[in-house]
Amino acid sequence: MLSKNQIKFIRSLHQKKFRQKYNIFVVEGEKMALEILRERPAQIEQIYALSNWVEEQKDILRAYINKTIIISDKDLSRISSLKTPNKVFITVRQFDAPAFPADLSTQYALFLDQIQDPGNLGTIIRIADWFGIEYVFCSEGCADFYNPKVIQATMGAIFRKKVIRTSLQSLKGHYPQLPFLGLVMDGDNIYHSERRGAGIIVVGNEGSGISRENQNHLTHRLSIPAGQDSRAESLNAAVATGIACAILMQP
Amino acid sequence: MLSKNQIKFIRSLHQKKFRQKYNIFVVEGEKMALEILRERPAQIEQIYALSNWVEEQKDILRAYINKTIIISDKDLSRISSLKTPNKVFITVRQFDAPAFPADLSTQYALFLDQIQDPGNLGTIIRIADWFGIEYVFCSEGCADFYNPKVIQATMGAIFRKKVIRTSLQSLKGHYPQLPFLGLVMDGDNIYHSERRGAGIIVVGNEGSGISRENQNHLTHRLSIPAGQDSRAESLNAAVATGIACAILMQP
Protein backbone atom coordinates (compact mmCIF):
# COMPACT_ATOMS: atom_id res chain seq x y z
CA MET A 1 0.00 0.00 0.00
CA LEU A 2 1.23 3.48 -0.81
CA SER A 3 1.43 6.17 1.86
CA LYS A 4 -0.34 9.49 1.48
CA ASN A 5 2.98 11.19 0.87
CA GLN A 6 4.00 8.70 -1.79
CA ILE A 7 0.71 9.21 -3.60
CA LYS A 8 1.11 12.95 -3.34
CA PHE A 9 4.63 12.80 -4.76
CA ILE A 10 3.65 10.51 -7.63
CA ARG A 11 0.59 12.56 -8.52
CA SER A 12 2.66 15.73 -8.57
CA LEU A 13 4.49 14.28 -11.60
CA HIS A 14 1.40 14.89 -13.72
CA GLN A 15 2.41 18.56 -13.53
CA LYS A 16 5.28 19.96 -15.56
CA LYS A 17 6.61 21.99 -12.61
CA PHE A 18 7.20 18.89 -10.51
CA ARG A 19 8.46 16.80 -13.41
CA GLN A 20 11.15 19.43 -13.86
CA LYS A 21 11.87 19.76 -10.14
CA TYR A 22 12.46 16.02 -9.71
CA ASN A 23 13.74 15.37 -13.25
CA ILE A 24 11.32 12.46 -13.49
CA PHE A 25 8.40 11.61 -15.74
CA VAL A 26 5.73 8.94 -15.88
CA VAL A 27 5.03 6.07 -18.26
CA GLU A 28 1.64 4.38 -17.93
CA GLY A 29 -0.08 1.29 -19.21
CA GLU A 30 1.05 -2.13 -20.29
CA LYS A 31 2.16 -1.35 -23.84
CA MET A 32 4.20 1.72 -22.96
CA ALA A 33 5.69 -0.02 -19.91
CA LEU A 34 7.02 -2.84 -22.07
CA GLU A 35 8.45 -0.26 -24.49
CA ILE A 36 10.39 1.62 -21.81
CA LEU A 37 11.62 -1.65 -20.24
CA ARG A 38 12.99 -2.67 -23.64
CA GLU A 39 14.28 0.67 -24.87
CA ARG A 40 15.54 2.63 -21.85
CA PRO A 41 15.77 0.27 -18.88
CA ALA A 42 18.60 2.21 -17.20
CA GLN A 43 16.31 5.24 -16.78
CA ILE A 44 13.68 3.45 -14.71
CA GLU A 45 13.19 4.64 -11.14
CA GLN A 46 10.21 2.66 -9.82
CA ILE A 47 7.68 0.24 -11.24
CA TYR A 48 4.25 0.33 -9.58
CA ALA A 49 2.16 -2.58 -10.81
CA LEU A 50 -0.78 -4.85 -10.06
CA SER A 51 0.24 -8.26 -8.72
CA ASN A 52 -1.18 -10.21 -11.67
CA TRP A 53 0.83 -8.09 -14.12
CA VAL A 54 4.01 -8.66 -12.10
CA GLU A 55 3.31 -12.40 -12.23
CA GLU A 56 2.57 -12.26 -15.96
CA GLN A 57 5.78 -10.36 -16.75
CA LYS A 58 8.01 -12.05 -14.23
CA ASP A 59 10.74 -12.93 -16.75
CA ILE A 60 11.11 -9.32 -17.84
CA LEU A 61 10.79 -7.97 -14.30
CA ARG A 62 13.44 -10.31 -12.85
CA ALA A 63 16.09 -7.62 -13.35
CA TYR A 64 13.92 -5.05 -11.53
CA ILE A 65 12.97 -6.87 -8.34
CA ASN A 66 14.24 -4.09 -6.11
CA LYS A 67 12.42 -1.45 -8.19
CA THR A 68 9.03 -3.16 -8.39
CA ILE A 69 6.27 -2.25 -5.95
CA ILE A 70 3.05 -4.24 -6.07
CA ILE A 71 0.04 -1.99 -5.58
CA SER A 72 -3.72 -2.43 -5.40
CA ASP A 73 -6.25 -1.43 -8.07
CA LYS A 74 -7.31 1.34 -5.75
CA ASP A 75 -3.81 2.80 -5.39
CA LEU A 76 -3.28 2.53 -9.17
CA SER A 77 -6.45 4.58 -9.73
CA ARG A 78 -5.17 7.11 -7.21
CA ILE A 79 -1.86 7.73 -9.00
CA SER A 80 -2.97 7.26 -12.63
CA SER A 81 -3.68 10.06 -15.08
CA LEU A 82 -5.53 7.69 -17.43
CA LYS A 83 -9.32 7.40 -17.58
CA THR A 84 -8.86 3.65 -17.45
CA PRO A 85 -5.70 2.83 -15.46
CA ASN A 86 -3.88 -0.04 -17.10
CA LYS A 87 -1.97 -2.43 -14.81
CA VAL A 88 1.32 -0.55 -14.46
CA PHE A 89 2.76 2.89 -13.75
CA ILE A 90 6.49 3.59 -14.03
CA THR A 91 8.52 6.59 -12.91
CA VAL A 92 11.44 7.30 -15.23
CA ARG A 93 14.43 9.62 -15.01
CA GLN A 94 14.33 12.23 -17.79
CA PHE A 95 16.78 11.64 -20.62
CA ASP A 96 19.94 13.70 -20.98
CA ALA A 97 19.58 16.18 -23.82
CA PRO A 98 21.14 14.49 -26.88
CA ALA A 99 24.07 16.29 -28.52
CA PHE A 100 23.65 17.88 -31.94
CA PRO A 101 24.98 15.43 -34.53
CA ALA A 102 28.27 16.42 -36.19
CA ASP A 103 26.75 15.81 -39.59
CA LEU A 104 23.13 15.96 -40.75
CA SER A 105 23.83 16.08 -44.47
CA THR A 106 22.62 12.57 -45.31
CA GLN A 107 19.32 12.46 -43.44
CA TYR A 108 16.11 14.37 -42.91
CA ALA A 109 15.29 15.94 -39.54
CA LEU A 110 12.27 17.85 -38.21
CA PHE A 111 12.08 21.27 -36.60
CA LEU A 112 8.80 22.03 -34.81
CA ASP A 113 7.95 25.68 -34.29
CA GLN A 114 5.59 25.97 -31.31
CA ILE A 115 3.62 22.76 -31.65
CA GLN A 116 1.54 23.31 -28.56
CA ASP A 117 -0.93 20.46 -28.58
CA PRO A 118 0.61 17.47 -26.76
CA GLY A 119 -1.28 15.01 -28.97
CA ASN A 120 0.14 16.65 -32.10
CA LEU A 121 3.69 16.72 -30.69
CA GLY A 122 3.52 13.04 -29.75
CA THR A 123 1.99 12.07 -33.08
CA ILE A 124 4.77 13.91 -34.95
CA ILE A 125 7.47 12.08 -32.97
CA ARG A 126 5.68 8.85 -33.91
CA ILE A 127 5.77 9.92 -37.58
CA ALA A 128 9.54 10.54 -37.28
CA ASP A 129 9.92 7.02 -35.90
CA TRP A 130 7.93 5.53 -38.80
CA PHE A 131 10.00 7.26 -41.47
CA GLY A 132 13.31 6.61 -39.73
CA ILE A 133 13.98 10.27 -38.88
CA GLU A 134 16.45 10.32 -35.98
CA TYR A 135 16.32 13.95 -34.80
CA VAL A 136 13.30 16.02 -33.81
CA PHE A 137 14.20 19.60 -32.88
CA CYS A 138 11.59 21.57 -30.93
CA SER A 139 11.33 25.32 -30.32
CA GLU A 140 10.93 26.64 -26.78
CA GLY A 141 7.22 27.12 -27.36
CA CYS A 142 6.54 23.41 -28.03
CA ALA A 143 4.69 21.32 -25.43
CA ASP A 144 6.70 19.56 -22.70
CA PHE A 145 8.12 16.29 -24.13
CA TYR A 146 7.32 14.58 -20.85
CA ASN A 147 3.65 15.54 -20.77
CA PRO A 148 1.76 12.21 -20.35
CA LYS A 149 -0.31 12.96 -23.47
CA VAL A 150 2.87 13.44 -25.52
CA ILE A 151 4.35 10.18 -24.24
CA GLN A 152 1.11 8.32 -24.97
CA ALA A 153 0.71 9.74 -28.48
CA THR A 154 4.29 8.74 -29.43
CA MET A 155 3.41 5.07 -28.79
CA GLY A 156 6.97 4.58 -27.55
CA ALA A 157 8.73 6.55 -30.30
CA ILE A 158 9.95 9.09 -27.74
CA PHE A 159 12.12 6.39 -26.13
CA ARG A 160 13.93 5.85 -29.44
CA LYS A 161 14.19 9.27 -31.06
CA LYS A 162 16.55 12.12 -30.24
CA VAL A 163 14.37 15.07 -29.26
CA ILE A 164 16.25 18.35 -28.72
CA ARG A 165 14.93 21.71 -27.60
CA THR A 166 16.59 24.52 -29.54
CA SER A 167 15.88 27.49 -31.77
CA LEU A 168 15.77 27.46 -35.55
CA GLN A 169 18.45 30.16 -35.51
CA SER A 170 20.79 27.95 -33.52
CA LEU A 171 20.07 25.01 -35.83
CA LYS A 172 20.84 27.19 -38.83
CA GLY A 173 24.13 28.17 -37.15
CA HIS A 174 25.09 24.52 -36.76
CA TYR A 175 24.05 23.44 -40.26
CA PRO A 176 24.30 26.49 -42.53
CA GLN A 177 24.58 24.38 -45.70
CA LEU A 178 21.42 22.33 -45.19
CA PRO A 179 18.12 23.01 -46.94
CA PHE A 180 15.51 24.33 -44.51
CA LEU A 181 12.17 23.24 -45.96
CA GLY A 182 9.24 25.09 -44.43
CA LEU A 183 5.63 23.93 -44.71
CA VAL A 184 3.66 27.09 -45.50
CA MET A 185 0.30 27.95 -47.06
CA ASP A 186 1.66 29.81 -50.10
CA GLY A 187 4.76 27.83 -51.05
CA ASP A 188 5.84 25.76 -54.05
CA ASN A 189 4.02 22.52 -54.80
CA ILE A 190 5.71 19.93 -52.56
CA TYR A 191 5.10 17.16 -55.12
CA HIS A 192 7.48 18.95 -57.50
CA SER A 193 10.13 19.52 -54.87
CA GLU A 194 13.55 18.06 -55.59
CA ARG A 195 14.27 14.79 -53.74
CA ARG A 196 17.31 15.87 -51.72
CA GLY A 197 17.72 12.98 -49.32
CA ALA A 198 18.42 15.48 -46.54
CA GLY A 199 17.14 18.67 -44.99
CA ILE A 200 15.32 20.14 -42.02
CA ILE A 201 11.55 19.97 -42.48
CA VAL A 202 10.13 22.94 -40.56
CA VAL A 203 6.56 22.63 -39.23
CA GLY A 204 4.67 25.61 -37.83
CA ASN A 205 2.26 26.22 -34.97
CA GLU A 206 -1.29 24.79 -35.21
CA GLY A 207 -2.94 28.19 -35.52
CA SER A 208 -0.35 30.62 -36.81
CA GLY A 209 2.12 28.50 -38.77
CA ILE A 210 5.87 29.20 -38.87
CA SER A 211 6.73 32.42 -37.03
CA ARG A 212 7.77 35.43 -39.09
CA GLU A 213 11.26 35.33 -37.59
CA ASN A 214 11.72 31.66 -38.40
CA GLN A 215 10.43 32.13 -41.94
CA ASN A 216 13.60 34.14 -42.57
CA HIS A 217 15.68 31.01 -42.02
CA LEU A 218 13.88 28.93 -44.64
CA THR A 219 15.66 28.10 -47.89
CA HIS A 220 12.53 26.56 -49.43
CA ARG A 221 8.81 27.20 -48.94
CA LEU A 222 6.65 24.17 -49.68
CA SER A 223 2.89 23.60 -49.72
CA ILE A 224 0.66 20.55 -49.91
CA PRO A 225 -1.85 21.45 -52.63
CA ALA A 226 -5.53 21.21 -51.68
CA GLY A 227 -8.03 19.37 -53.85
CA GLN A 228 -10.07 21.18 -56.49
CA ASP A 229 -12.94 23.19 -54.98
CA SER A 230 -11.61 22.52 -51.47
CA ARG A 231 -12.88 25.03 -48.93
CA ALA A 232 -10.75 23.77 -46.05
CA GLU A 233 -8.36 26.32 -44.61
CA SER A 234 -5.60 23.98 -43.55
CA LEU A 235 -4.57 20.50 -42.48
CA ASN A 236 -3.85 19.39 -38.92
CA ALA A 237 -0.14 20.00 -38.17
CA ALA A 238 0.68 16.33 -37.55
CA VAL A 239 -1.16 15.23 -40.69
CA ALA A 240 0.71 17.85 -42.75
CA THR A 241 4.01 16.59 -41.29
CA GLY A 242 3.17 13.01 -42.20
CA ILE A 243 2.26 13.97 -45.76
CA ALA A 244 5.42 16.05 -46.18
CA CYS A 245 7.59 13.16 -44.95
CA ALA A 246 5.77 10.70 -47.22
CA ILE A 247 6.31 12.90 -50.27
CA LEU A 248 9.86 14.16 -49.59
CA MET A 249 11.17 10.79 -48.41
CA GLN A 250 9.39 8.61 -50.97
CA PRO A 251 11.72 5.59 -51.33
CA MET B 1 -29.50 35.11 -17.41
CA LEU B 2 -30.17 31.44 -17.95
CA SER B 3 -32.44 29.48 -15.64
CA LYS B 4 -31.25 26.36 -13.84
CA ASN B 5 -33.38 24.24 -16.13
CA GLN B 6 -32.01 25.89 -19.24
CA ILE B 7 -28.45 25.28 -18.06
CA LYS B 8 -29.28 21.70 -17.23
CA PHE B 9 -30.78 21.14 -20.68
CA ILE B 10 -27.87 22.74 -22.50
CA ARG B 11 -25.27 20.85 -20.49
CA SER B 12 -27.04 17.58 -21.17
CA LEU B 13 -26.10 18.04 -24.85
CA HIS B 14 -22.47 17.25 -23.99
CA GLN B 15 -23.69 13.66 -23.65
CA LYS B 16 -24.47 11.51 -26.68
CA LYS B 17 -27.65 10.14 -25.11
CA PHE B 18 -29.23 13.57 -24.86
CA ARG B 19 -27.89 14.76 -28.23
CA GLN B 20 -29.76 11.83 -29.74
CA LYS B 21 -32.88 12.34 -27.64
CA TYR B 22 -33.24 16.00 -28.68
CA ASN B 23 -31.62 15.62 -32.13
CA ILE B 24 -29.44 18.63 -31.32
CA PHE B 25 -25.69 19.19 -31.02
CA VAL B 26 -23.45 22.00 -29.90
CA VAL B 27 -21.00 24.27 -31.75
CA GLU B 28 -18.67 26.32 -29.57
CA GLY B 29 -16.22 29.15 -30.01
CA GLU B 30 -15.94 32.06 -32.36
CA LYS B 31 -14.32 30.35 -35.32
CA MET B 32 -16.70 27.40 -35.41
CA ALA B 33 -19.70 29.66 -34.81
CA LEU B 34 -18.87 31.70 -37.90
CA GLU B 35 -18.47 28.48 -39.89
CA ILE B 36 -21.92 27.13 -38.95
CA LEU B 37 -23.52 30.53 -39.56
CA ARG B 38 -22.02 30.53 -43.05
CA GLU B 39 -22.44 26.88 -43.96
CA ARG B 40 -25.64 25.61 -42.33
CA PRO B 41 -27.63 28.59 -41.05
CA ALA B 42 -31.00 26.84 -41.40
CA GLN B 43 -29.99 24.26 -38.79
CA ILE B 44 -29.39 26.76 -36.00
CA GLU B 45 -31.64 26.55 -32.94
CA GLN B 46 -30.23 29.09 -30.49
CA ILE B 47 -27.18 31.34 -30.27
CA TYR B 48 -25.91 32.02 -26.74
CA ALA B 49 -23.26 34.73 -26.85
CA LEU B 50 -21.46 37.40 -24.85
CA SER B 51 -22.78 40.90 -25.50
CA ASN B 52 -19.53 42.20 -26.99
CA TRP B 53 -19.47 39.36 -29.52
CA VAL B 54 -23.08 40.06 -30.51
CA GLU B 55 -22.10 43.71 -31.02
CA GLU B 56 -18.99 42.73 -33.01
CA GLN B 57 -20.93 40.37 -35.30
CA LYS B 58 -24.11 42.41 -35.55
CA ASP B 59 -24.18 42.34 -39.35
CA ILE B 60 -24.07 38.57 -39.47
CA LEU B 61 -26.45 38.17 -36.51
CA ARG B 62 -29.12 40.50 -37.94
CA ALA B 63 -30.90 37.51 -39.46
CA TYR B 64 -30.91 35.71 -36.12
CA ILE B 65 -32.26 38.32 -33.73
CA ASN B 66 -34.98 36.07 -32.41
CA LYS B 67 -32.53 33.22 -31.93
CA THR B 68 -29.80 35.15 -30.11
CA ILE B 69 -29.62 35.16 -26.33
CA ILE B 70 -27.05 37.40 -24.67
CA ILE B 71 -25.47 35.66 -21.69
CA SER B 72 -22.85 36.51 -19.07
CA ASP B 73 -19.30 35.16 -18.86
CA LYS B 74 -20.45 33.18 -15.88
CA ASP B 75 -23.32 31.50 -17.72
CA LEU B 76 -21.06 30.78 -20.69
CA SER B 77 -18.63 28.98 -18.36
CA ARG B 78 -21.53 27.02 -16.93
CA ILE B 79 -22.71 25.65 -20.29
CA SER B 80 -19.36 25.33 -22.08
CA SER B 81 -17.42 22.10 -22.56
CA LEU B 82 -14.22 23.99 -23.44
CA LYS B 83 -11.41 24.63 -20.98
CA THR B 84 -11.45 28.23 -22.15
CA PRO B 85 -14.99 29.18 -23.19
CA ASN B 86 -14.85 31.34 -26.27
CA LYS B 87 -17.56 34.01 -26.64
CA VAL B 88 -20.34 31.96 -28.22
CA PHE B 89 -22.21 28.68 -27.90
CA ILE B 90 -24.73 27.53 -30.50
CA THR B 91 -27.26 24.71 -30.42
CA VAL B 92 -27.81 23.16 -33.84
CA ARG B 93 -30.31 20.67 -35.20
CA GLN B 94 -28.58 17.49 -36.36
CA PHE B 95 -28.28 17.11 -40.12
CA ASP B 96 -30.49 14.70 -42.06
CA ALA B 97 -28.51 11.66 -43.13
CA PRO B 98 -27.32 12.37 -46.71
CA ALA B 99 -28.44 9.93 -49.40
CA PHE B 100 -25.93 7.62 -51.05
CA PRO B 101 -24.83 9.20 -54.34
CA ALA B 102 -26.11 7.50 -57.48
CA ASP B 103 -22.60 7.41 -58.87
CA LEU B 104 -19.24 7.36 -57.10
CA SER B 105 -17.17 6.27 -60.06
CA THR B 106 -15.37 9.56 -60.66
CA GLN B 107 -14.29 10.47 -57.13
CA TYR B 108 -12.58 9.09 -54.07
CA ALA B 109 -14.50 8.48 -50.84
CA LEU B 110 -13.47 7.27 -47.38
CA PHE B 111 -14.81 4.39 -45.32
CA LEU B 112 -13.80 4.43 -41.64
CA ASP B 113 -13.91 1.13 -39.81
CA GLN B 114 -14.36 1.81 -36.09
CA ILE B 115 -12.40 5.03 -35.73
CA GLN B 116 -13.12 5.45 -32.03
CA ASP B 117 -11.06 8.47 -31.04
CA PRO B 118 -13.12 11.64 -31.62
CA GLY B 119 -9.98 13.65 -32.40
CA ASN B 120 -8.99 11.15 -35.10
CA LEU B 121 -12.49 11.08 -36.59
CA GLY B 122 -12.65 14.88 -36.74
CA THR B 123 -9.14 15.15 -38.17
CA ILE B 124 -10.01 12.64 -40.91
CA ILE B 125 -13.13 14.61 -41.90
CA ARG B 126 -10.87 17.68 -42.08
CA ILE B 127 -8.49 15.74 -44.36
CA ALA B 128 -11.44 14.83 -46.62
CA ASP B 129 -12.31 18.53 -46.82
CA TRP B 130 -8.73 19.45 -47.75
CA PHE B 131 -8.50 16.92 -50.56
CA GLY B 132 -12.00 17.64 -51.86
CA ILE B 133 -13.45 14.27 -50.86
CA GLU B 134 -17.23 14.65 -50.60
CA TYR B 135 -18.32 11.45 -48.84
CA VAL B 136 -17.06 10.00 -45.56
CA PHE B 137 -18.73 6.69 -44.69
CA CYS B 138 -18.42 5.53 -41.08
CA SER B 139 -19.05 2.10 -39.57
CA GLU B 140 -21.36 1.72 -36.57
CA GLY B 141 -18.35 1.51 -34.27
CA CYS B 142 -17.04 4.99 -35.14
CA ALA B 143 -17.32 7.83 -32.61
CA ASP B 144 -20.49 9.99 -32.59
CA PHE B 145 -20.17 12.65 -35.35
CA TYR B 146 -21.72 15.19 -32.99
CA ASN B 147 -19.23 14.66 -30.15
CA PRO B 148 -17.84 18.16 -29.38
CA LYS B 149 -14.28 16.86 -29.86
CA VAL B 150 -15.17 15.59 -33.35
CA ILE B 151 -16.78 18.90 -34.29
CA GLN B 152 -13.77 20.85 -32.98
CA ALA B 153 -11.20 18.66 -34.74
CA THR B 154 -12.98 19.02 -38.10
CA MET B 155 -12.44 22.80 -37.97
CA GLY B 156 -15.77 23.23 -39.75
CA ALA B 157 -15.33 20.47 -42.33
CA ILE B 158 -18.22 18.52 -40.83
CA PHE B 159 -20.60 21.29 -41.92
CA ARG B 160 -19.53 20.81 -45.54
CA LYS B 161 -18.95 17.08 -45.98
CA LYS B 162 -21.48 14.29 -46.36
CA VAL B 163 -20.90 11.92 -43.46
CA ILE B 164 -22.94 8.71 -43.61
CA ARG B 165 -23.13 5.87 -41.11
CA THR B 166 -23.25 2.52 -42.89
CA SER B 167 -21.51 -0.83 -43.18
CA LEU B 168 -18.79 -1.70 -45.67
CA GLN B 169 -20.98 -4.58 -46.84
CA SER B 170 -23.81 -2.20 -47.66
CA LEU B 171 -21.39 0.14 -49.44
CA LYS B 172 -20.07 -2.77 -51.48
CA GLY B 173 -23.68 -3.64 -52.37
CA HIS B 174 -24.26 -0.12 -53.66
CA TYR B 175 -20.99 0.17 -55.57
CA PRO B 176 -19.89 -3.35 -56.54
CA GLN B 177 -17.68 -2.11 -59.40
CA LEU B 178 -15.57 0.32 -57.35
CA PRO B 179 -12.08 -0.45 -56.08
CA PHE B 180 -12.04 -0.85 -52.30
CA LEU B 181 -8.53 0.19 -51.23
CA GLY B 182 -7.71 -0.93 -47.70
CA LEU B 183 -4.83 0.49 -45.65
CA VAL B 184 -3.22 -2.55 -44.06
CA MET B 185 0.17 -3.42 -42.56
CA ASP B 186 1.14 -6.11 -45.09
CA GLY B 187 -0.20 -4.75 -48.38
CA ASP B 188 1.33 -3.59 -51.65
CA ASN B 189 3.47 -0.46 -51.68
CA ILE B 190 0.98 2.41 -51.98
CA TYR B 191 3.48 4.51 -53.96
CA HIS B 192 3.27 1.97 -56.80
CA SER B 193 -0.51 1.78 -56.71
CA GLU B 194 -2.30 2.66 -59.95
CA ARG B 195 -3.78 6.19 -60.00
CA ARG B 196 -7.46 5.34 -60.50
CA GLY B 197 -9.09 8.69 -59.84
CA ALA B 198 -11.79 6.90 -57.85
CA GLY B 199 -12.31 4.32 -55.14
CA ILE B 200 -13.22 3.81 -51.51
CA ILE B 201 -10.19 4.26 -49.24
CA VAL B 202 -10.82 2.00 -46.23
CA VAL B 203 -9.18 3.00 -42.92
CA GLY B 204 -9.13 0.66 -39.93
CA ASN B 205 -9.46 1.02 -36.19
CA GLU B 206 -6.64 2.67 -34.22
CA GLY B 207 -5.57 -0.50 -32.45
CA SER B 208 -6.76 -3.43 -34.52
CA GLY B 209 -6.95 -2.10 -38.09
CA ILE B 210 -9.62 -3.18 -40.60
CA SER B 211 -11.84 -5.94 -39.17
CA ARG B 212 -11.43 -9.45 -40.55
CA GLU B 213 -14.94 -9.34 -41.98
CA ASN B 214 -14.35 -6.04 -43.74
CA GLN B 215 -11.01 -7.22 -45.13
CA ASN B 216 -13.03 -9.64 -47.27
CA HIS B 217 -14.58 -6.71 -49.09
CA LEU B 218 -11.25 -5.16 -50.14
CA THR B 219 -10.19 -5.34 -53.76
CA HIS B 220 -6.71 -3.91 -53.02
CA ARG B 221 -4.51 -4.01 -49.93
CA LEU B 222 -2.13 -1.05 -49.66
CA SER B 223 0.64 -0.13 -47.20
CA ILE B 224 2.65 2.99 -46.52
CA PRO B 225 6.24 1.71 -46.38
CA ALA B 226 8.22 2.54 -43.24
CA GLY B 227 11.70 4.04 -43.41
CA GLN B 228 14.79 1.86 -43.33
CA ASP B 229 15.56 0.56 -39.83
CA SER B 230 12.26 1.95 -38.56
CA ARG B 231 11.14 0.28 -35.35
CA ALA B 232 7.76 1.99 -35.18
CA GLU B 233 4.79 -0.37 -35.25
CA SER B 234 2.34 1.88 -37.04
CA LEU B 235 1.20 5.39 -37.86
CA ASN B 236 -1.69 7.25 -36.25
CA ALA B 237 -4.91 6.47 -38.17
CA ALA B 238 -5.55 10.09 -39.23
CA VAL B 239 -1.93 10.56 -40.34
CA ALA B 240 -2.10 7.35 -42.39
CA THR B 241 -5.34 8.57 -44.01
CA GLY B 242 -3.72 11.89 -44.90
CA ILE B 243 -0.70 10.19 -46.44
CA ALA B 244 -2.88 7.76 -48.42
CA CYS B 245 -4.97 10.62 -49.81
CA ALA B 246 -1.85 12.63 -50.67
CA ILE B 247 -0.33 9.71 -52.58
CA LEU B 248 -3.45 8.30 -54.28
CA MET B 249 -4.87 11.71 -55.21
CA GLN B 250 -1.61 13.36 -56.26
CA PRO B 251 -2.72 15.91 -58.84
Side-chain angles (χ1 to χ4, degrees):
Chain A
M1 196 174 142
L2 297 174
S3 75
K4 266 194 185 167
N5 275 337
Q6 284 175 310
I7 289 175
K8 194 176 158 194
F9 163 71
I10 297 168
R11 287 177 56 93
S12 78
L13 300 172
H14 298 318
Q15 290 176 60
K16 182 177 172 186
K17 180 169 74 169
F18 293 102
R19 284 196 297 272
Q20 288 183 331
K21 178 172 172 186
Y22 300 116
N23 199 36
I24 283 176
F25 71 104
V26 158
V27 170
E28 285 205 68
E30 191 167 21
K31 190 187 148 46
M32 296 296 282
L34 294 174
E35 290 269 0
I36 191 85
L37 282 159
R38 187 173 57 227
E39 302 282 350
R40 306 296 287 262
Q43 301 292 119
I44 288 173
E45 287 274 312
Q46 289 283 358
I47 301 170
Y48 302 91
L50 302 182
S51 59
N52 56 358
W53 193 76
V54 173
E55 178 57 26
E56 221 174 277
Q57 303 294 339
K58 64 182 173 210
D59 291 342
I60 292 169
L61 293 176
R62 193 154 292 150
Y64 306 92
I65 286 178
N66 63 336
K67 293 188 168 181
T68 303
I69 298 175
I70 293 175
I71 62 172
S72 63
D73 273 309
K74 209 167 164 184
D75 275 350
L76 182 62
S77 300
R78 284 200 182 105
I79 60 177
S80 177
S81 72
L82 301 178
K83 273 183 208 161
T84 317
N86 178 8
K87 298 179 186 173
V88 52
F89 182 109
I90 302 182
T91 52
V92 184
R93 233 167 325 114
Q94 295 191 9
F95 310 137
D96 293 334
F100 280 51
D103 180 27
L104 259 181
S105 66
T106 58
Q107 59 190 295
Y108 280 100
L110 298 178
F111 178 84
L112 312 181
D113 188 0
Q114 299 199 60
I115 294 292
Q116 292 175 332
D117 179 82
N120 280 342
L121 178 56
T123 302
I124 291 175
I125 296 171
R126 184 176 172 191
I127 291 168
D129 202 22
W130 181 262
F131 286 104
I133 291 173
E134 192 64 21
Y135 289 89
V136 179
F137 301 97
C138 298
S139 78
E140 278 305 326
C142 286
D144 178 24
F145 315 151
Y146 297 111
N147 180 311
K149 286 182 190 159
V150 174
I151 305 284
Q152 203 63 39
T154 70
M155 295 293 276
I158 195 158
F159 309 143
R160 288 185 284 271
K161 298 292 105 180
K162 297 196 170 69
V163 186
I164 300 178
R165 209 172 274 276
T166 186
S167 67
L168 193 58
Q169 190 172 20
S170 161
L171 208 55
K172 187 91 180 182
H174 272 80
Y175 310 106
Q177 311 301 334
L178 282 186
F180 281 71
L181 312 162
L183 303 183
V184 297
M185 296 309 294
D186 60 345
D188 300 325
N189 186 330
I190 192 168
Y191 290 108
H192 304 151
S193 168
E194 192 192 326
R195 299 298 179 267
R196 292 174 184 80
I200 311 279
I201 301 169
V202 181
V203 182
N205 171 263
E206 289 92 346
S208 54
I210 300 171
S211 73
R212 196 171 292 266
E213 193 201 330
N214 281 340
Q215 293 211 20
N216 293 328
H217 298 304
L218 301 178
T219 58
H220 299 75
R221 300 167 58 84
L222 303 177
S223 293
I224 300 161
Q228 261 194 318
D229 307 322
S230 168
R231 288 163 64 197
E233 273 178 37
S234 62
L235 283 162
N236 163 280
V239 172
T241 307
I243 293 173
C245 290
I247 295 174
L248 295 172
M249 301 176 72
Q250 172 170 356
Chain B
M1 195 174 141
L2 298 173
S3 74
K4 266 194 186 167
N5 275 338
Q6 284 175 311
I7 291 175
K8 195 176 156 193
F9 164 71
I10 297 168
R11 287 176 56 92
S12 79
L13 300 173
H14 298 318
Q15 290 175 61
K16 182 177 171 185
K17 180 169 72 169
F18 293 102
R19 285 195 297 272
Q20 288 183 332
K21 179 173 172 185
Y22 299 116
N23 198 36
I24 282 177
F25 71 104
V26 159
V27 170
E28 284 205 65
E30 189 168 22
K31 190 187 149 42
M32 295 296 283
L34 295 174
E35 291 270 358
I36 191 87
L37 282 159
R38 187 172 57 227
E39 302 282 351
R40 305 297 287 263
Q43 302 292 119
I44 288 174
E45 288 274 312
Q46 290 282 358
I47 301 170
Y48 303 91
L50 302 182
S51 60
N52 57 357
W53 193 77
V54 173
E55 178 57 26
E56 220 175 278
Q57 302 296 339
K58 64 182 173 211
D59 291 341
I60 292 170
L61 293 177
R62 192 153 295 149
Y64 305 92
I65 287 179
N66 62 337
K67 293 189 169 184
T68 304
I69 299 175
I70 294 176
I71 61 172
S72 64
D73 273 310
K74 210 166 163 184
D75 275 350
L76 183 61
S77 300
R78 282 198 183 107
I79 60 176
S80 177
S81 73
L82 301 178
K83 274 182 207 161
T84 317
N86 179 8
K87 298 178 186 173
V88 50
F89 183 109
I90 302 182
T91 51
V92 184
R93 232 166 327 112
Q94 296 192 7
F95 310 138
D96 293 334
F100 279 52
D103 181 26
L104 260 181
S105 67
T106 58
Q107 59 190 297
Y108 280 99
L110 298 178
F111 178 86
L112 312 181
D113 187 1
Q114 299 199 57
I115 294 292
Q116 292 174 331
D117 180 81
N120 280 342
L121 179 56
T123 302
I124 291 174
I125 295 170
R126 184 176 173 192
I127 291 168
D129 203 21
W130 181 261
F131 286 103
I133 291 172
E134 191 65 22
Y135 289 89
V136 179
F137 301 97
C138 299
S139 78
E140 278 304 326
C142 285
D144 178 24
F145 314 152
Y146 297 111
N147 180 311
K149 286 183 189 158
V150 173
I151 306 283
Q152 203 62 40
T154 70
M155 297 293 276
I158 195 158
F159 309 143
R160 287 185 285 270
K161 297 293 106 179
K162 298 197 169 69
V163 186
I164 301 178
R165 207 173 274 277
T166 186
S167 67
L168 193 57
Q169 191 173 18
S170 161
L171 208 55
K172 186 90 181 183
H174 273 80
Y175 309 106
Q177 310 302 335
L178 281 186
F180 281 72
L181 312 162
L183 303 184
V184 296
M185 296 308 294
D186 59 346
D188 299 326
N189 186 330
I190 192 169
Y191 290 107
H192 304 151
S193 168
E194 192 193 325
R195 299 296 179 269
R196 292 175 184 79
I200 312 279
I201 301 170
V202 181
V203 182
N205 170 264
E206 289 92 346
S208 54
I210 300 172
S211 73
R212 195 172 291 266
E213 192 201 330
N214 280 339
Q215 293 212 19
N216 294 328
H217 298 303
L218 302 178
T219 57
H220 299 76
R221 300 166 58 82
L222 303 177
S223 294
I224 300 162
Q228 260 193 319
D229 307 322
S230 167
R231 286 163 67 198
E233 273 177 37
S234 62
L235 283 163
N236 163 279
V239 172
T241 307
I243 293 173
C245 291
I247 295 174
L248 295 173
M249 301 177 71
Q250 172 171 356

